[in-house]
Amino acid sequence: MDLVRHLRYFTVVAEELHFGNAAVRLGMAQPPLSQRIRRLEEELGVRLFDRSSRQVRLTEPGRLLLAEAREIVARVDRLRDLAGRGEGAALRVGVPPDLGSSVIAALIAGFRERVPEVRLAPAEMWSADQVIALTDGTLDVGLLRHPVTAPGLSFGPVLVQRPGVVLAEADPLAELSSVHLADLAGRQLVLFPREPGLHEETLAECRHHGYVPEEVHEAQTLGLVLAGTAVAFGPRVELPGLRWRPLLGSPLAWRVSTAWRGQAADAAVTFGAVAVRVLKEKAGMTDDGAAPARRVRARPSSGFLA
């Protein structure tokens, strides 16, 4: 058992005295959080909380252990900070796995140019994992997708990405210059994993525009799309067997920002500035609220036409 991580969960639940709120703050589901608290109780041999359907209270052993747990977590955080400085200062950064190699390379080059004495150490992680890592102190700064509910985190400027649709080249819609969401009716959908808030927002927007996927798959690759089984949303891609088409009216808006816990270090602030520039130049993202909405009007056959 990762005792420090479990103690961190314990301190958050003790501060919230509500497992649901604590789970949101930690960026995880409530059941696994409850399981980890029970496992910690088994490991320590004491009950930390009195739970009822109406309230959660610290037990006397829980109250006695809380101060020690906070001190242990704080000491580990300080230890990690010192270790990072000793390694010649590496900035540990989380980036979405689908960000693209050229974008990640530009982030590294841009940061190296601005802060050559600090090594950028990017790790590909989905947003939910980044929130946990930021809370644990194993990441210095994240580049994650919203919506994110994590009261302990601070966020940089929000950028917006307008995804298109990725189709198999044999799909009849691939012959069109652009596609309306309603035109995707009858098709299954691939969404990347570990982005629960974004999934809900994306599917709600699909339903609003007349597309209810027959089935939603969570996957990191486009294999199902290449096989003609499903479609996917995302930035422009140029791969054999696939076609990327813009969505009429740009109905989907995926928001991205940097995030960190506590006071942002100078290197994290610089990374945020580099990320904003690179994401605009290399990934076509725009400032939140600045993306020009395409004019959309109704059409008799499928509802809308750009």
Side-chain angles (χ1 to χ4, degrees):
M1 182 177 74
D2 185 338
L3 182 59
V4 175
R5 175 173 293 193
H6 283 67
L7 289 176
R8 193 184 301 277
Y9 295 146
F10 165 53
T11 61
V12 174
V13 175
E15 290 168 4
E16 297 291 338
L17 291 179
H18 189 287
F19 276 82
N21 292 345
V24 169
R25 183 171 158 186
L26 290 164
M28 62 192 299
Q30 182 175 336
L33 176 60
S34 298
Q35 293 168 8
R36 287 167 189 177
I37 292 298
R38 290 195 184 91
R39 190 174 176 192
L40 178 62
E41 290 176 326
E42 293 171 1
E43 181 74 16
L44 298 176
V46 296
R47 287 189 62 193
L48 299 170
F49 297 99
D50 283 327
R51 309 167 177 83
S52 72
S53 58
R54 302 182 61 181
Q55 63 180 354
V56 176
R57 295 189 304 175
L58 276 168
T59 61
E60 184 59 25
R63 278 192 289 272
L64 292 173
L65 291 173
L66 179 58
E68 292 295 328
R70 283 174 169 154
E71 180 59 26
I72 290 171
V73 171
R75 286 188 178 187
V76 171
D77 288 345
R78 287 196 294 271
L79 184 64
R80 284 173 172 153
D81 288 343
L82 289 171
R85 293 171 194 171
E87 287 176 354
L91 186 70
R92 302 162 300 178
V93 177
V95 296
D98 65 331
L99 195 59
S101 56
S102 63
V103 176
I104 293 175
L107 285 173
I108 295 173
F111 184 79
R112 183 186 300 148
E113 183 178 351
R114 294 278 302 276
V115 193
E117 69 276 16
V118 178
R119 179 174 59 88
L120 193 66
E124 295 188 355
M125 305 170 69
W126 298 107
S127 297
D129 296 323
Q130 288 193 44
V131 169
I132 294 174
L134 289 167
T135 304
D136 286 349
T138 53
L139 268 187
D140 298 310
V141 60
L143 188 59
L144 45 76
R145 291 192 177 89
H146 293 258
V148 172
T149 304
L153 298 185
S154 301
F155 301 98
V158 176
L159 300 179
V160 173
Q161 182 179 40
R162 304 277 175 176
V165 60
V166 185
L167 306 151
E169 64 179 358
D171 191 310
L173 294 179
E175 300 299 321
L176 304 178
S177 59
S178 56
V179 175
H180 192 281
L181 277 176
D183 296 333
L184 300 175
R187 290 167 173 81
Q188 300 178 20
L189 176 64
V190 172
L191 288 174
F192 28 65
R194 303 289 288 164
E195 307 281 6
L198 185 60
H199 280 200
E200 293 179 8
E201 281 196 352
T202 299
L203 293 177
E205 199 64 27
C206 287
R207 288 193 296 271
H208 178 69
H209 288 273
Y211 171 44
V212 179
E214 284 194 339
E215 189 172 350
V216 178
H217 305 274
E218 290 192 0
Q220 298 192 42
T221 69
L222 294 172
L224 289 174
V225 180
L226 191 60
T229 303
V231 300
F233 299 129
R236 178 185 294 276
V237 293
E238 294 183 3
L239 295 172
L242 298 177
R243 294 291 182 271
W244 181 90
R245 294 292 180 263
L247 288 169
L248 283 171
S250 301
L252 302 181
W254 291 349
R255 291 166 291 138
V256 176
S257 83
T258 50
W260 60 91
R261 186 169 68 93
Q263 183 70 33
D266 291 345
V269 173
T270 301
F271 172 78
V274 171
V276 167
R277 177 180 60 78
V278 168
L279 292 177
K280 286 181 176 179
E281 293 176 357
K282 298 289 185 180
M285 297 189 192
T286 58
D287 293 318
D288 190 17
R294 297 182 59 184
R295 187 171 61 85
V296 178
R297 58 184 171 83
R299 70 178 180 187
S301 58
S302 60
F304 297 91
L305 181 67

